[in-house]
Amino acid sequence: MSDFSEELIRSKTEDDQEESCVLSGTGMYFPWLQKHIDTVETGGKKEKDFAQTTSACLNRIQEALLKHQWPQAAGYMHSYFQILEDSDSHKRQAAPEISLQHALYLLHHGMLEDANRNLSRAETWRYGEKSSSQEVLINLVQAYKGLLQYYTWSKKKMELSNLDEDDYAYNTASQTMLNHSWKTSVNLGALIQTPGVWDPFVKSYVEMLEFYGDQDGAREVLTNYAYDEKFPSNPNAHVYLYNFLKREKAPREKLISVLKILYQIVPSHKLMLEFHRLLRKSEKKDHHKLGLEVLFGVLDFAGCTKNITAWKYLAKYLRQTLMGNHLAWVQEEWNSRKTWWPSFHFSSFWAKSDWKEDKALACEKALVAGILLGKGCRYFRYICKQDHPVLRKKIRRIRKSVKKHSIVNPGL
């Protein structure tokens, strides 16, 4: 090894316990990128000296970037590329990774022109045959270039919205947008066909397709992103498809089918209350039953326990369901929860806490507690004992409603 290589490895070993792989100040670390570096094919060769040298150099570059030590970073980068030039073809294939990492850092700090130059260098780096992992990496580099082009396109779109269509500047801005949209579509297209989670790239691409009226193209991209089995399960893919179909004013059945899959993945998602409303308006009985299941499912999660809308919906829908002679639906949902919901939602502690923090929430929960647990429920009893001048009539109505609909004991 060269003296430089030995110095790098020695200094890295000495500092192993410090900050080579951690956040420093406002800097960033990309472990997924290091994984790409580690997995780039090297034609079956295991050359320890080269691997140690390049790994040490990459870590030194990263440390310098994190500490904003630009001269040192530039020096290490020069040395890194020199090492690659001095090595055989298999060793040169890792070159784009560090350029991408540097570009991401520049993007994070708003240095867009510098980032674009870095990405251009990484994109054009070629030597010998490309491995499959390097192919994905080049696509990723090109996609980030596409995001920069999308950013320019978005600014032009905003300028366009403030111009008169008969203005000369309007035509100029419109032509600039077309140029950037073409470049962006080329750069993003390859990446989003590769299995992975590409949310920001897909959103940018679809926005442009919609802007130019290519609804079919946008729908195809989003449908593939959500349903192609080669892609990993991704809740956002279904959210994007749902929002697109909603903008298109798609039939209720289509919207329900998309949200049904999202419900299976993330039953506590904020769109579940909208899902409940769609199910409630459906004419199908199995949708009405699912609407009750969805509300119980949302409130199973600790992050939703203070969601007053969810409690209002459940209180109202429990009464509607019982009035519709579907006691079995309620019992089916309650049987799997009756051993843990009372302490999770309806304890004396929560009654006092909810009444103090949000009396409207406490009243909705008291109604649900009374229906499910009857007059003996501690939560229900505590709220009903409160003498509040404004809520007195509401509490009286809660008592009457529980007397009529409780699944435990119809009499109070």
Side-chain angles (χ1 to χ4, degrees):
M1 286 190 291
S2 67
D3 293 340
F4 173 76
S5 299
E6 292 175 354
E7 179 184 350
L8 271 175
I9 295 172
R10 182 172 59 253
S11 59
K12 178 181 184 298
T13 302
E14 292 170 354
D15 296 343
D16 255 348
Q17 303 303 318
E18 294 184 4
E19 30 182 292
S20 61
C21 292
V22 296
L23 291 167
S24 176
T26 58
M28 292 162 47
Y29 172 55
F30 302 96
W32 59 269
L33 191 58
Q34 185 63 46
K35 184 178 180 181
H36 266 297
I37 295 171
D38 295 338
T39 57
V40 170
E41 293 179 9
T42 58
K45 297 184 178 181
K46 296 182 178 180
E47 301 175 7
K48 185 177 179 181
D49 289 349
F50 174 79
Q52 287 181 329
T53 301
T54 54
S55 176
C57 194
L58 286 171
N59 279 304
R60 284 302 175 193
I61 295 169
Q62 185 180 67
E63 289 173 12
L65 292 176
L66 293 175
K67 296 175 181 177
H68 295 199
Q69 296 172 346
W70 302 110
Q72 293 92 324
Y76 282 125
M77 287 182 72
H78 174 77
S79 299
Y80 177 77
F81 285 107
Q82 186 62 47
I83 294 168
L84 295 173
E85 289 294 340
D86 293 341
S87 307
D88 66 32
S89 61
H90 295 298
K91 299 170 184 174
R92 303 179 193 187
Q93 292 186 3
E97 288 88 346
I98 190 63
S99 291
L100 178 56
Q101 184 172 9
H102 189 198
L104 292 175
Y105 180 87
L106 295 171
L107 283 171
H108 181 70
H109 290 276
M111 303 166 71
L112 304 186
E113 292 184 6
D114 291 337
N116 191 55
R117 282 193 292 271
N118 240 50
L119 291 170
S120 295
R121 285 196 296 269
E123 179 186 19
T124 56
W125 182 270
R126 293 287 189 275
Y127 192 93
E129 295 185 8
K130 290 184 295 183
S131 66
S132 58
S133 56
Q134 192 180 27
E135 183 75 42
V136 174
L137 182 65
I138 294 298
N139 287 342
L140 189 59
V141 168
Q142 292 171 339
Y144 271 103
K145 281 194 69 178
L147 278 187
L148 286 174
Q149 292 155 356
Y150 164 78
Y151 176 75
T152 303
W153 178 85
S154 295
K155 289 198 298 184
K156 292 297 180 183
K157 185 177 75 166
M158 188 174 296
E159 293 174 10
L160 202 65
S161 65
N162 296 322
L163 296 175
D164 191 312
E165 290 190 15
D166 297 326
D167 195 329
Y168 172 77
Y170 181 92
N171 293 327
T172 303
S174 180
Q175 186 59 48
T176 303
M177 284 181 64
L178 279 171
N179 292 338
H180 278 285
S181 65
W182 179 81
K183 293 177 183 176
T184 304
S185 64
V186 170
N187 283 326
L188 297 180
L191 181 71
I192 63 178
Q193 293 175 23
T194 304
V197 178
W198 311 119
D199 292 352
F201 307 101
V202 170
K203 287 179 66 177
S204 302
Y205 190 36
V206 167
E207 181 185 340
M208 297 175 71
L209 290 173
E210 285 192 84
F211 182 83
Y212 291 110
D214 189 359
Q215 301 299 108
D216 292 340
R219 189 185 308 105
E220 181 180 359
V221 168
L222 291 171
T223 300
N224 290 341
Y225 193 51
Y227 295 135
D228 192 326
E229 293 182 355
K230 295 191 296 291
F231 283 75
S233 177
N234 178 9
N236 287 340
H238 302 281
V239 173
Y240 300 154
L241 179 58
Y242 172 76
N243 288 333
F244 172 80
L245 294 173
K246 189 177 177 182
R247 291 194 296 273
E248 277 201 314
K249 301 187 184 305
R252 185 188 301 133
E253 289 293 320
K254 183 63 177 176
L255 298 176
I256 286 175
S257 68
V258 176
L259 289 184
K260 190 172 184 179
I261 297 176
L262 180 62
Y263 168 65
Q264 293 167 354
I265 303 172
V266 189
S268 61
H269 196 280
K270 62 182 181 180
L271 280 176
M272 290 304 101
L273 295 182
E274 191 166 330
F275 183 35
H276 165 78
R277 291 195 295 270
L278 290 170
L279 292 168
R280 196 173 62 202
K281 294 175 182 177
S282 173
E283 297 177 358
K284 295 183 177 180
K285 184 176 290 188
D286 61 330
H287 283 171
H288 297 165
K289 185 176 184 294
L290 180 58
L292 182 65
E293 176 187 322
V294 167
L295 291 178
F296 272 101
V298 167
L299 291 167
D300 281 341
F301 291 84
C304 302
T305 56
K306 301 289 186 180
N307 190 323
I308 188 171
T309 303
W311 286 108
K312 281 183 177 179
Y313 283 2
L314 182 57
K316 180 179 180 180
Y317 206 58
L318 278 173
R319 285 178 292 176
Q320 291 180 352
T321 302
L322 292 167
M323 289 172 65
N325 296 317
H326 295 297
L327 174 62
W329 294 2
V330 178
Q331 290 175 329
E332 181 180 340
E333 297 302 323
W334 182 237
N335 285 340
S336 62
R337 295 173 171 87
K338 62 184 178 182
T339 58
W340 62 279
W341 261 43
S343 58
F344 186 62
H345 287 306
F346 304 132
S347 66
S348 297
F349 169 81
W350 285 121
K352 295 173 184 177
S353 175
D354 290 342
W355 181 257
K356 182 179 180 181
E357 294 178 9
D358 190 339
K359 292 177 174 55
L361 171 67
C363 288
E364 298 299 335
K365 286 183 64 175
L367 177 52
V368 173
I371 291 175
L372 297 175
L373 291 165
K375 65 179 182 179
C377 174
R378 293 178 180 179
Y379 194 104
F380 173 75
R381 285 190 297 168
Y382 180 86
I383 302 303
C384 287
K385 288 179 181 177
Q386 304 307 308
D387 186 17
H388 191 280
V390 176
L391 297 174
R392 192 175 296 148
K393 290 183 178 179
K394 184 176 182 66
I395 292 174
R396 191 178 302 127
R397 288 196 297 270
I398 290 172
R399 291 174 63 90
K400 289 181 179 179
S401 187
V402 168
K403 182 177 181 178
K404 182 177 182 181
H405 299 295
S406 175
I407 66 173
V408 176
N409 187 350
L412 283 174

